[in-house]
Amino acid sequence: MKKINIDTIFKEFDVECIYLYGNVNCINDIDLLIVSNSFKGISISKRKDLIKKNNNKIDPICLTIKDFEKLKMSESTLWLELIKNGILIYGLEKRYN
């Protein structure tokens, strides 16, 4: 199995945390939630393009810390998925229930 290299993400962005979610066994579509204040002032679609240019297998959701805090308060399906099945692969472990 080919490793997914996310080192370039860390070189270009000051990353707070990264969550792996969705079907974690699928290597062709890797769902990541990336939290970084480096995304401030960049549109949602441009953020996604900046991450995908490094690896087209990654399907990212890119949020600032403020966006992430709003997500935690929202009870959205994405947040519920992260709580239930998400795996924190980078950053500090925090439990949100």
Side-chain angles (χ1 to χ4, degrees):
M1 178 187 334
K2 184 179 176 184
K3 272 187 163 181
I4 301 302
N5 186 350
I6 60 172
D7 292 342
T8 53
I9 295 170
F10 292 103
K11 289 178 184 172
E12 294 185 28
F13 304 99
D14 183 20
V15 177
E16 180 79 15
C17 62
I18 300 177
Y19 285 87
L20 176 66
Y21 69 98
N23 183 355
V24 297
N25 295 317
C26 180
I27 61 168
N28 293 322
D29 176 32
I30 300 163
D31 297 317
L32 295 179
L33 178 109
I34 303 169
V35 180
S36 170
N37 274 340
S38 300
F39 298 130
K40 279 185 182 175
I42 302 171
S43 71
I44 297 291
S45 61
K46 180 70 173 170
R47 294 172 186 180
K48 187 172 189 163
D49 291 343
L50 289 170
I51 299 298
K52 287 185 77 73
K53 78 174 183 170
N54 296 316
N55 191 318
N56 63 3
K57 291 182 185 256
I58 296 174
D59 188 13
I61 294 177
C62 306
L63 303 177
T64 64
I65 294 171
K66 185 177 179 179
D67 296 334
F68 186 59
E69 293 299 322
K70 286 180 186 177
L71 177 67
K72 290 190 298 189
M73 303 302 286
S74 72
E75 295 189 28
S76 71
T77 55
L78 173 60
W79 182 244
L80 296 175
E81 171 69 20
L82 284 172
I83 291 171
K84 185 177 178 184
N85 299 316
I87 300 167
L88 182 68
I89 60 172
Y90 175 81
L92 296 176
E93 177 70 38
K94 296 180 182 176
R95 295 285 176 200
Y96 304 103
N97 292 356

Coordinates of all heavy atoms in Angstrom, one line a residue:
M1 N 0.8 -1.2 0.0 CA 0.0 0.0 0.0 C 0.9 1.2 0.0 O 1.8 1.4 0.8 CB -0.9 0.0 1.2 CG -1.8 1.2 1.3 SD -2.7 1.4 2.9 CE -3.0 -0.1 3.5
K2 N 0.6 2.2 -0.9 CA 1.4 3.4 -1.0 C 1.0 4.4 0.2 O -0.1 4.6 0.5 CB 1.1 4.1 -2.3 CG 1.9 5.3 -2.5 CD 1.6 5.9 -3.9 CE 2.4 7.2 -4.0 NZ 2.1 7.9 -5.3
K3 N 2.1 4.9 0.8 CA 1.8 5.9 1.9 C 1.4 7.2 1.3 O 1.8 7.6 0.2 CB 3.1 6.1 2.7 CG 3.4 5.2 3.8 CD 4.6 5.7 4.5 CE 4.7 5.1 5.9 NZ 5.8 5.5 6.6
I4 N 0.5 7.9 2.0 CA 0.1 9.2 1.7 C 1.0 10.2 2.4 O 1.1 10.2 3.6 CB -1.4 9.5 2.1 CG1 -2.3 8.5 1.4 CG2 -1.8 10.9 1.8 CD1 -2.2 8.5 -0.1
N5 N 1.7 11.1 1.6 CA 2.6 12.0 2.2 C 1.9 13.3 2.4 O 1.5 14.0 1.5 CB 3.8 12.2 1.2 CG 4.9 13.1 1.8 OD1 4.7 13.7 2.8 ND2 6.0 13.1 1.1
I6 N 1.8 13.7 3.7 CA 1.2 15.0 4.0 C 2.2 16.0 4.6 O 1.9 17.0 5.1 CB 0.0 14.8 5.1 CG1 0.5 14.2 6.3 CG2 -1.1 14.0 4.5 CD1 -0.5 14.2 7.4
D7 N 3.5 15.7 4.4 CA 4.5 16.6 4.9 C 4.4 17.9 4.2 O 4.7 18.9 4.9 CB 5.9 16.0 4.6 CG 6.2 14.7 5.4 OD1 5.5 14.5 6.4 OD2 7.1 14.0 5.0
T8 N 4.1 18.0 3.0 CA 4.0 19.3 2.3 C 2.9 20.2 2.9 O 3.0 21.4 2.9 CB 3.7 19.1 0.8 OG1 2.5 18.3 0.6 CG2 4.9 18.5 0.1
I9 N 1.9 19.6 3.5 CA 0.9 20.4 4.2 C 1.5 21.1 5.4 O 1.3 22.3 5.6 CB -0.3 19.5 4.7 CG1 -1.0 18.9 3.5 CG2 -1.3 20.3 5.6 CD1 -2.0 17.8 3.8
F10 N 2.4 20.4 6.1 CA 3.0 21.0 7.3 C 4.0 22.1 6.8 O 4.3 23.0 7.6 CB 3.7 20.0 8.1 CG 2.7 19.1 8.8 CD1 2.4 17.8 8.3 CD2 2.0 19.5 9.9 CE1 1.5 17.0 9.0 CE2 1.0 18.7 10.5 CZ 0.8 17.4 10.1
K11 N 4.6 21.9 5.7 CA 5.6 22.9 5.2 C 4.9 24.2 4.8 O 5.5 25.3 4.9 CB 6.4 22.3 4.0 CG 7.3 21.3 4.4 CD 8.1 20.7 3.2 CE 8.9 19.5 3.6 NZ 9.5 18.8 2.5
E12 N 3.7 24.1 4.3 CA 3.0 25.3 3.8 C 2.0 25.9 4.7 O 1.7 27.1 4.6 CB 2.2 24.9 2.5 CG 3.2 24.5 1.4 CD 2.4 24.3 0.1 OE1 1.4 24.9 -0.2 OE2 2.9 23.5 -0.7
F13 N 1.6 25.2 5.7 CA 0.5 25.7 6.7 C 0.9 25.4 8.1 O 1.5 24.4 8.4 CB -0.8 25.0 6.4 CG -1.3 25.2 4.9 CD1 -1.1 24.2 4.0 CD2 -1.8 26.4 4.5 CE1 -1.5 24.4 2.7 CE2 -2.2 26.6 3.2 CZ -2.0 25.6 2.3
D14 N 0.6 26.3 9.0 CA 0.8 26.1 10.4 C -0.4 25.4 10.9 O -1.5 25.9 11.3 CB 0.9 27.5 11.1 CG 1.2 27.4 12.6 OD1 1.7 26.3 13.0 OD2 0.9 28.3 13.3
V15 N -0.3 24.0 11.0 CA -1.4 23.2 11.3 C -1.7 23.0 12.8 O -0.7 22.7 13.5 CB -1.2 21.8 10.6 CG1 -2.4 20.8 10.9 CG2 -1.1 21.9 9.1
E16 N -2.9 23.2 13.2 CA -3.3 23.0 14.6 C -3.6 21.5 14.8 O -3.2 20.9 15.8 CB -4.5 23.9 14.9 CG -5.1 23.8 16.2 CD -4.3 24.6 17.3 OE1 -3.5 25.4 16.9 OE2 -4.5 24.3 18.4
C17 N -4.5 20.9 14.0 CA -4.8 19.5 14.1 C -5.4 19.0 12.8 O -5.8 19.7 11.9 CB -5.8 19.3 15.2 SG -7.4 20.1 15.0
I18 N -5.3 17.7 12.7 CA -5.8 17.0 11.5 C -6.6 15.8 12.0 O -6.1 15.0 12.8 CB -4.7 16.5 10.5 CG1 -3.9 17.7 10.0 CG2 -5.3 15.7 9.4 CD1 -2.8 17.3 9.1
Y19 N -7.8 15.6 11.5 CA -8.7 14.5 11.7 C -8.9 13.7 10.5 O -9.1 14.2 9.4 CB -10.1 14.9 12.2 CG -10.1 15.4 13.6 CD1 -9.9 16.7 13.9 CD2 -10.4 14.5 14.7 CE1 -9.9 17.2 15.2 CE2 -10.5 15.0 16.0 CZ -10.2 16.3 16.3 OH -10.3 16.8 17.5
L20 N -8.8 12.4 10.6 CA -9.1 11.4 9.5 C -10.5 11.0 9.9 O -10.8 10.6 11.0 CB -8.2 10.2 9.5 CG -8.4 9.1 8.6 CD1 -8.3 9.6 7.1 CD2 -7.5 8.0 8.9
Y21 N -11.4 11.0 8.9 CA -12.8 10.5 9.1 C -13.3 9.9 7.9 O -12.6 9.7 6.9 CB -13.7 11.7 9.5 CG -13.9 12.7 8.4 CD1 -15.1 12.7 7.7 CD2 -13.0 13.7 8.1 CE1 -15.3 13.6 6.7 CE2 -13.2 14.6 7.1 CZ -14.4 14.5 6.4 OH -14.6 15.4 5.4
G22 N -14.6 9.5 7.9 CA -15.2 8.8 6.7 C -14.7 7.4 6.7 O -14.4 6.7 7.7
N23 N -14.6 6.8 5.5 CA -14.1 5.4 5.3 C -12.6 5.4 5.4 O -11.9 5.7 4.5 CB -14.6 4.9 4.0 CG -14.2 3.4 3.8 OD1 -13.5 2.8 4.6 ND2 -14.7 2.9 2.7
V24 N -12.1 5.1 6.6 CA -10.7 5.2 6.9 C -9.9 4.0 6.2 O -8.7 4.1 6.1 CB -10.4 5.2 8.4 CG1 -10.9 6.4 9.0 CG2 -10.9 3.9 9.1
N25 N -10.6 3.1 5.6 CA -9.9 2.0 4.9 C -9.8 2.2 3.4 O -9.2 1.5 2.7 CB -10.7 0.7 5.1 CG -10.7 0.3 6.6 OD1 -9.6 0.3 7.2 ND2 -11.8 -0.2 7.1
C26 N -10.4 3.3 2.9 CA -10.3 3.7 1.5 C -9.1 4.5 1.2 O -8.9 5.6 1.7 CB -11.6 4.4 1.1 SG -11.6 4.9 -0.7
I27 N -8.2 4.0 0.4 CA -6.9 4.7 0.1 C -7.1 5.6 -1.1 O -6.2 6.4 -1.5 CB -5.7 3.7 -0.1 CG1 -6.0 2.8 -1.3 CG2 -5.4 3.0 1.2 CD1 -4.8 2.0 -1.7
N28 N -8.2 5.6 -1.8 CA -8.4 6.4 -3.0 C -9.1 7.7 -2.7 O -9.1 8.6 -3.5 CB -9.2 5.7 -4.1 CG -8.4 4.5 -4.7 OD1 -7.2 4.6 -4.8 ND2 -9.0 3.4 -4.9
D29 N -9.7 7.8 -1.5 CA -10.4 9.0 -1.1 C -10.2 9.2 0.4 O -10.9 8.6 1.2 CB -11.9 8.9 -1.5 CG -12.7 10.1 -0.9 OD1 -12.2 11.2 -0.9 OD2 -13.9 9.9 -0.6
I30 N -9.2 10.0 0.8 CA -8.9 10.1 2.2 C -9.5 11.4 2.7 O -9.1 12.5 2.3 CB -7.4 10.2 2.3 CG1 -6.8 8.8 1.8 CG2 -7.0 10.4 3.8 CD1 -5.4 8.8 1.5
D31 N -10.5 11.3 3.6 CA -11.2 12.5 4.1 C -10.4 13.0 5.3 O -10.3 12.3 6.3 CB -12.6 12.1 4.5 CG -13.4 11.6 3.4 OD1 -13.4 12.2 2.3 OD2 -14.2 10.6 3.5
L32 N -10.0 14.2 5.2 CA -9.2 14.9 6.3 C -9.9 16.2 6.6 O -10.3 17.0 5.7 CB -7.8 15.2 5.9 CG -6.9 14.0 5.6 CD1 -5.5 14.6 5.2 CD2 -6.7 13.1 6.8
L33 N -10.0 16.5 7.9 CA -10.4 17.8 8.4 C -9.1 18.4 8.9 O -8.5 17.9 9.8 CB -11.4 17.7 9.5 CG -11.8 19.1 10.0 CD1 -13.2 19.5 9.6 CD2 -11.6 19.2 11.5
I34 N -8.7 19.5 8.3 CA -7.4 20.2 8.6 C -7.8 21.6 9.2 O -8.5 22.4 8.6 CB -6.5 20.4 7.4 CG1 -6.3 19.0 6.7 CG2 -5.2 21.1 7.7 CD1 -5.7 19.1 5.3
V35 N -7.2 21.8 10.4 CA -7.5 23.1 11.1 C -6.2 23.9 11.2 O -5.2 23.4 11.7 CB -8.0 22.8 12.5 CG1 -8.3 24.1 13.3 CG2 -9.3 22.0 12.5
S36 N -6.3 25.1 10.6 CA -5.1 26.0 10.6 C -5.5 27.4 10.4 O -6.4 27.7 9.5 CB -4.2 25.6 9.4 OG -3.2 26.6 9.3
N37 N -5.0 28.3 11.2 CA -5.2 29.7 11.0 C -4.6 30.3 9.7 O -4.8 31.4 9.3 CB -4.9 30.5 12.2 CG -6.0 30.6 13.2 OD1 -7.1 30.3 12.8 ND2 -5.7 30.9 14.4
S38 N -3.7 29.4 9.1 CA -3.1 29.8 7.8 C -4.2 30.0 6.7 O -3.9 30.5 5.7 CB -2.1 28.8 7.3 OG -1.1 28.7 8.3
F39 N -5.4 29.4 6.9 CA -6.5 29.5 6.0 C -7.3 30.8 6.0 O -8.1 31.0 5.2 CB -7.4 28.3 6.1 CG -6.8 27.0 5.9 CD1 -7.0 25.9 6.8 CD2 -6.1 26.7 4.8 CE1 -6.4 24.7 6.7 CE2 -5.5 25.4 4.6 CZ -5.7 24.5 5.5
K40 N -7.0 31.6 7.0 CA -7.7 32.9 7.1 C -7.6 33.7 5.8 O -6.5 33.8 5.3 CB -7.1 33.8 8.3 CG -7.6 33.4 9.6 CD -7.1 34.3 10.7 CE -7.6 33.9 12.0 NZ -7.0 34.7 13.1
G41 N -8.7 34.2 5.4 CA -8.7 35.1 4.2 C -8.7 34.3 2.9 O -8.7 34.9 1.8
I42 N -8.7 33.0 2.9 CA -8.7 32.1 1.7 C -10.1 31.5 1.6 O -10.6 30.9 2.6 CB -7.6 31.1 1.8 CG1 -6.2 31.7 2.0 CG2 -7.6 30.2 0.6 CD1 -5.1 30.7 2.3
S43 N -10.7 31.5 0.5 CA -12.0 30.9 0.3 C -11.9 29.4 0.5 O -10.9 28.8 0.4 CB -12.5 31.1 -1.1 OG -11.8 30.4 -2.1
I44 N -13.1 28.8 0.9 CA -13.2 27.4 1.2 C -12.7 26.6 0.0 O -11.9 25.6 0.1 CB -14.6 27.0 1.5 CG1 -15.1 27.7 2.8 CG2 -14.8 25.5 1.6 CD1 -14.4 27.2 4.1
S45 N -13.1 26.9 -1.3 CA -12.7 26.1 -2.4 C -11.2 26.3 -2.7 O -10.5 25.3 -3.1 CB -13.5 26.5 -3.6 OG -13.3 27.9 -4.0
K46 N -10.6 27.5 -2.5 CA -9.2 27.7 -2.7 C -8.4 26.9 -1.7 O -7.3 26.3 -2.0 CB -8.9 29.2 -2.6 CG -7.4 29.5 -2.9 CD -7.0 29.3 -4.3 CE -5.6 29.8 -4.5 NZ -5.1 29.4 -5.8
R47 N -8.9 26.8 -0.4 CA -8.2 26.1 0.6 C -8.1 24.6 0.1 O -7.0 24.0 0.2 CB -9.0 26.1 1.9 CG -9.1 27.4 2.6 CD -10.0 27.4 3.7 NE -10.2 28.7 4.3 CZ -11.0 29.0 5.3 NH1 -11.6 28.0 6.0 NH2 -11.2 30.2 5.8
K48 N -9.2 24.1 -0.3 CA -9.2 22.7 -0.8 C -8.3 22.5 -1.9 O -7.5 21.5 -2.0 CB -10.7 22.3 -1.2 CG -10.9 20.9 -1.5 CD -12.3 20.6 -1.7 CE -12.5 19.1 -1.8 NZ -13.9 18.7 -1.7
D49 N -8.3 23.4 -2.9 CA -7.3 23.3 -4.0 C -5.9 23.3 -3.6 O -5.0 22.6 -4.1 CB -7.6 24.4 -5.0 CG -8.9 24.3 -5.7 OD1 -9.5 23.2 -5.8 OD2 -9.3 25.3 -6.3
L50 N -5.5 24.2 -2.6 CA -4.2 24.2 -2.1 C -3.7 22.9 -1.5 O -2.5 22.5 -1.7 CB -4.1 25.4 -1.1 CG -4.2 26.8 -1.6 CD1 -4.3 27.8 -0.5 CD2 -3.0 27.1 -2.5
I51 N -4.6 22.2 -0.8 CA -4.2 20.9 -0.2 C -4.2 19.8 -1.3 O -3.3 19.0 -1.3 CB -5.2 20.5 0.9 CG1 -5.2 21.6 2.0 CG2 -4.9 19.1 1.4 CD1 -3.9 21.7 2.7
K52 N -5.2 19.8 -2.2 CA -5.2 18.8 -3.2 C -4.1 18.9 -4.2 O -3.7 17.8 -4.8 CB -6.6 18.8 -3.9 CG -7.7 18.3 -3.1 CD -9.0 18.2 -3.8 CE -9.1 17.1 -4.7 NZ -9.3 15.8 -4.1
K53 N -3.5 20.0 -4.4 CA -2.4 20.1 -5.3 C -1.2 19.2 -4.9 O -0.4 18.8 -5.7 CB -1.9 21.6 -5.5 CG -1.1 22.1 -4.4 CD -0.5 23.5 -4.7 CE 0.4 23.9 -3.5 NZ 1.1 25.0 -3.7
N54 N -1.1 19.0 -3.6 CA 0.0 18.2 -3.0 C -0.4 16.7 -3.1 O 0.6 15.9 -3.2 CB 0.3 18.5 -1.6 CG 0.8 20.0 -1.5 OD1 1.6 20.4 -2.2 ND2 0.2 20.7 -0.5
N55 N -1.6 16.4 -3.1 CA -2.0 15.0 -3.2 C -3.5 14.9 -3.5 O -4.3 15.2 -2.7 CB -1.8 14.2 -1.9 CG -1.9 12.8 -2.0 OD1 -2.8 12.3 -2.6 ND2 -1.0 12.0 -1.4
N56 N -3.8 14.4 -4.7 CA -5.2 14.4 -5.2 C -6.0 13.3 -4.6 O -7.2 13.2 -4.8 CB -5.3 14.3 -6.7 CG -4.7 13.1 -7.3 OD1 -4.2 12.2 -6.6 ND2 -4.6 13.0 -8.6
K57 N -5.4 12.4 -3.8 CA -6.2 11.4 -3.1 C -6.9 12.0 -1.8 O -7.8 11.4 -1.2 CB -5.4 10.2 -2.7 CG -4.9 9.4 -3.9 CD -4.1 8.2 -3.5 CE -3.6 7.5 -4.7 NZ -4.3 6.3 -5.0
I58 N -6.4 13.1 -1.3 CA -6.9 13.7 -0.1 C -8.1 14.5 -0.5 O -8.1 15.3 -1.4 CB -5.8 14.6 0.5 CG1 -4.6 13.8 1.0 CG2 -6.4 15.4 1.7 CD1 -3.5 14.6 1.6
D59 N -9.2 14.3 0.3 CA -10.4 15.1 0.1 C -10.5 15.9 1.4 O -11.1 15.5 2.4 CB -11.6 14.2 -0.1 CG -12.9 15.0 -0.4 OD1 -12.7 16.3 -0.7 OD2 -14.0 14.5 -0.3
P60 N -10.0 17.2 1.4 CA -9.9 17.9 2.7 C -11.1 18.9 2.9 O -11.7 19.4 2.0 CB -8.6 18.8 2.5 CG -8.7 19.1 1.0 CD -9.2 17.8 0.3
I61 N -11.3 19.1 4.2 CA -12.1 20.2 4.7 C -11.2 21.0 5.5 O -10.5 20.5 6.4 CB -13.3 19.7 5.5 CG1 -14.3 18.9 4.7 CG2 -14.0 20.9 6.2 CD1 -15.5 18.4 5.4
C62 N -11.0 22.2 5.1 CA -9.9 23.1 5.7 C -10.6 24.2 6.4 O -11.3 25.1 5.9 CB -9.0 23.7 4.6 SG -8.3 22.4 3.5
L63 N -10.4 24.3 7.7 CA -11.0 25.3 8.6 C -10.0 26.0 9.4 O -9.0 25.5 9.7 CB -12.0 24.5 9.6 CG -13.1 23.7 9.1 CD1 -13.8 23.0 10.2 CD2 -14.0 24.5 8.2
T64 N -10.4 27.3 9.7 CA -9.6 28.1 10.7 C -10.0 27.6 12.0 O -11.0 26.8 12.2 CB -9.9 29.6 10.5 OG1 -11.2 29.8 10.9 CG2 -9.6 30.1 9.1
I65 N -9.2 28.0 13.0 CA -9.6 27.6 14.4 C -11.0 28.1 14.8 O -11.8 27.4 15.4 CB -8.5 28.1 15.4 CG1 -7.2 27.4 15.2 CG2 -9.0 27.9 16.9 CD1 -6.0 27.9 15.9
K66 N -11.3 29.4 14.4 CA -12.6 29.9 14.6 C -13.7 29.1 13.9 O -14.7 28.8 14.5 CB -12.6 31.4 14.1 CG -13.9 32.1 14.5 CD -13.8 33.5 14.0 CE -15.1 34.3 14.3 NZ -15.1 35.7 13.9
D67 N -13.5 28.7 12.7 CA -14.4 27.9 12.0 C -14.6 26.5 12.7 O -15.8 26.0 12.8 CB -14.0 27.6 10.5 CG -13.8 28.8 9.6 OD1 -14.5 29.8 9.9 OD2 -13.0 28.7 8.7
F68 N -13.5 26.0 13.2 CA -13.6 24.7 13.9 C -14.4 24.8 15.2 O -15.2 23.9 15.5 CB -12.2 24.2 14.2 CG -12.1 22.8 14.8 CD1 -12.6 21.7 14.1 CD2 -11.5 22.6 16.0 CE1 -12.5 20.4 14.6 CE2 -11.4 21.3 16.5 CZ -11.9 20.3 15.8
E69 N -14.2 25.9 15.9 CA -15.0 26.2 17.1 C -16.5 26.3 16.8 O -17.3 25.7 17.6 CB -14.5 27.4 17.8 CG -13.1 27.3 18.4 CD -12.9 26.2 19.4 OE1 -13.8 26.0 20.3 OE2 -11.8 25.5 19.4
K70 N -16.8 26.9 15.7 CA -18.2 27.0 15.3 C -18.8 25.6 15.0 O -19.9 25.3 15.3 CB -18.4 27.9 14.1 CG -18.2 29.4 14.4 CD -18.4 30.2 13.1 CE -18.1 31.7 13.4 NZ -18.2 32.4 12.1
L71 N -18.0 24.8 14.3 CA -18.4 23.5 13.9 C -18.7 22.7 15.2 O -19.7 21.9 15.2 CB -17.3 22.8 13.1 CG -17.6 21.3 12.7 CD1 -18.7 21.2 11.7 CD2 -16.3 20.7 12.2
K72 N -17.9 22.8 16.2 CA -18.1 22.0 17.4 C -19.4 22.4 18.1 O -20.0 21.5 18.8 CB -16.9 22.3 18.4 CG -15.6 21.7 18.0 CD -14.6 21.7 19.0 CE -14.2 23.1 19.5 NZ -13.0 23.2 20.3
M73 N -19.8 23.6 17.9 CA -21.1 24.1 18.6 C -22.3 23.8 17.7 O -23.4 23.9 18.2 CB -21.0 25.6 18.8 CG -19.8 26.0 19.7 SD -19.7 25.2 21.3 CE -21.0 26.1 22.1
S74 N -22.1 23.3 16.5 CA -23.2 23.2 15.5 C -24.1 22.0 15.6 O -25.2 22.0 15.0 CB -22.6 23.4 14.1 OG -21.9 22.2 13.7
E75 N -23.5 20.9 16.1 CA -24.2 19.6 16.0 C -24.5 19.2 14.5 O -25.4 18.4 14.2 CB -25.5 19.6 16.8 CG -25.3 19.7 18.3 CD -26.6 19.5 19.0 OE1 -27.5 18.8 18.6 OE2 -26.7 20.1 20.1
S76 N -23.6 19.6 13.6 CA -23.7 19.2 12.2 C -23.4 17.7 12.0 O -22.8 17.1 12.9 CB -22.8 20.0 11.3 OG -21.5 19.7 11.6
T77 N -23.8 17.2 10.9 CA -23.5 15.8 10.6 C -21.9 15.5 10.6 O -21.5 14.5 11.0 CB -24.1 15.3 9.3 OG1 -23.8 16.1 8.3 CG2 -25.6 15.2 9.5
L78 N -21.2 16.5 10.1 CA -19.8 16.4 10.0 C -19.2 16.3 11.4 O -18.4 15.4 11.7 CB -19.1 17.6 9.3 CG -17.6 17.6 9.4 CD1 -17.0 16.4 8.7 CD2 -17.1 18.9 8.7
W79 N -19.7 17.2 12.3 CA -19.2 17.1 13.7 C -19.5 15.8 14.4 O -18.7 15.2 15.1 CB -19.7 18.3 14.5 CG -19.1 18.3 15.9 CD1 -19.8 18.2 17.0 CD2 -17.7 18.4 16.3 NE1 -18.9 18.2 18.1 CE2 -17.7 18.3 17.7 CE3 -16.6 18.5 15.6 CZ2 -16.5 18.3 18.4 CZ3 -15.4 18.5 16.3 CH2 -15.3 18.5 17.6
L80 N -20.8 15.4 14.2 CA -21.2 14.1 14.8 C -20.3 12.9 14.3 O -20.0 12.0 15.0 CB -22.7 13.9 14.6 CG -23.6 14.9 15.2 CD1 -25.0 14.7 14.8 CD2 -23.4 14.9 16.7
E81 N -20.0 13.0 13.0 CA -19.1 11.9 12.4 C -17.7 12.0 13.0 O -17.1 11.0 13.3 CB -19.0 12.2 10.9 CG -18.0 11.3 10.2 CD -18.3 9.8 10.1 OE1 -19.5 9.5 10.2 OE2 -17.4 9.0 9.9
L82 N -17.2 13.2 13.2 CA -15.9 13.3 13.8 C -15.9 12.8 15.3 O -14.9 12.1 15.7 CB -15.4 14.8 13.9 CG -14.9 15.3 12.5 CD1 -14.7 16.8 12.7 CD2 -13.7 14.6 12.1
I83 N -16.9 13.1 16.0 CA -17.0 12.6 17.4 C -17.1 11.0 17.4 O -16.4 10.4 18.2 CB -18.2 13.2 18.1 CG1 -18.0 14.6 18.4 CG2 -18.5 12.4 19.5 CD1 -19.3 15.3 18.9
K84 N -17.9 10.5 16.5 CA -18.2 9.1 16.5 C -17.0 8.3 15.9 O -16.6 7.3 16.5 CB -19.5 8.8 15.8 CG -19.9 7.4 15.8 CD -21.2 7.2 15.1 CE -21.7 5.8 15.1 NZ -22.9 5.6 14.3
N85 N -16.5 8.7 14.8 CA -15.6 7.8 14.0 C -14.3 8.5 13.7 O -13.4 7.9 13.1 CB -16.2 7.4 12.7 CG -17.5 6.5 12.9 OD1 -17.5 5.7 13.8 ND2 -18.5 6.8 12.2
G86 N -14.2 9.8 13.9 CA -12.9 10.5 13.5 C -11.7 10.1 14.3 O -11.8 9.7 15.5
I87 N -10.6 10.1 13.7 CA -9.3 9.8 14.4 C -8.4 11.0 14.3 O -8.1 11.5 13.2 CB -8.7 8.6 13.6 CG1 -9.6 7.4 13.6 CG2 -7.3 8.3 14.3 CD1 -9.1 6.3 12.7
L88 N -8.0 11.5 15.4 CA -7.1 12.6 15.5 C -5.7 12.1 15.1 O -5.2 11.2 15.8 CB -7.0 13.2 16.9 CG -6.1 14.4 17.0 CD1 -6.7 15.6 16.2 CD2 -6.0 14.8 18.5
I89 N -5.2 12.5 13.9 CA -3.9 12.0 13.5 C -2.8 13.0 13.7 O -1.6 12.7 13.6 CB -3.9 11.5 12.0 CG1 -4.3 12.7 11.1 CG2 -4.8 10.3 11.9 CD1 -4.1 12.3 9.6
Y90 N -3.1 14.2 14.1 CA -2.1 15.2 14.4 C -2.8 16.3 15.3 O -3.9 16.7 15.1 CB -1.6 15.9 13.2 CG -0.6 17.0 13.5 CD1 0.7 16.7 13.8 CD2 -1.0 18.4 13.6 CE1 1.6 17.7 14.2 CE2 -0.2 19.4 13.9 CZ 1.2 19.0 14.2 OH 2.0 20.0 14.6
G91 N -2.0 16.7 16.3 CA -2.5 17.7 17.2 C -2.8 17.2 18.6 O -2.6 16.0 18.8
L92 N -3.3 18.0 19.5 CA -3.6 17.6 20.8 C -4.9 16.8 20.9 O -5.9 17.2 20.2 CB -3.7 18.8 21.7 CG -2.4 19.6 21.9 CD1 -2.6 20.8 22.8 CD2 -1.3 18.7 22.5
E93 N -4.9 15.8 21.6 CA -6.2 15.0 21.8 C -7.2 15.8 22.7 O -6.8 16.2 23.8 CB -5.8 13.7 22.5 CG -7.0 12.8 22.8 CD -7.7 12.2 21.6 OE1 -7.0 11.9 20.6 OE2 -8.9 12.2 21.5
K94 N -8.3 16.0 22.2 CA -9.4 16.6 22.9 C -10.7 15.8 22.7 O -10.9 15.3 21.7 CB -9.7 18.0 22.3 CG -8.5 19.0 22.5 CD -8.8 20.3 22.0 CE -7.5 21.2 22.1 NZ -7.8 22.5 21.5
R95 N -11.4 15.7 23.8 CA -12.6 14.9 23.8 C -13.8 15.9 23.7 O -13.8 16.8 24.6 CB -12.8 14.0 25.0 CG -11.8 12.9 25.0 CD -12.1 11.9 24.0 NE -11.0 10.9 24.0 CZ -10.8 10.0 23.1 NH1 -11.5 10.1 22.0 NH2 -9.8 9.2 23.1
Y96 N -14.7 15.8 22.8 CA -15.8 16.7 22.6 C -17.0 15.9 22.7 O -17.4 15.2 21.8 CB -15.7 17.4 21.3 CG -14.4 18.2 21.1 CD1 -13.4 17.7 20.3 CD2 -14.2 19.4 21.8 CE1 -12.3 18.4 20.1 CE2 -13.0 20.1 21.6 CZ -12.0 19.5 20.7 OH -10.9 20.2 20.5
N97 N -17.7 16.0 23.8 CA -19.0 15.2 23.9 C -20.1 16.1 24.5 O -19.8 16.9 25.4 CB -18.9 14.0 24.7 CG -18.0 12.9 24.0 OD1 -17.6 13.1 22.9 ND2 -17.8 11.9 24.7

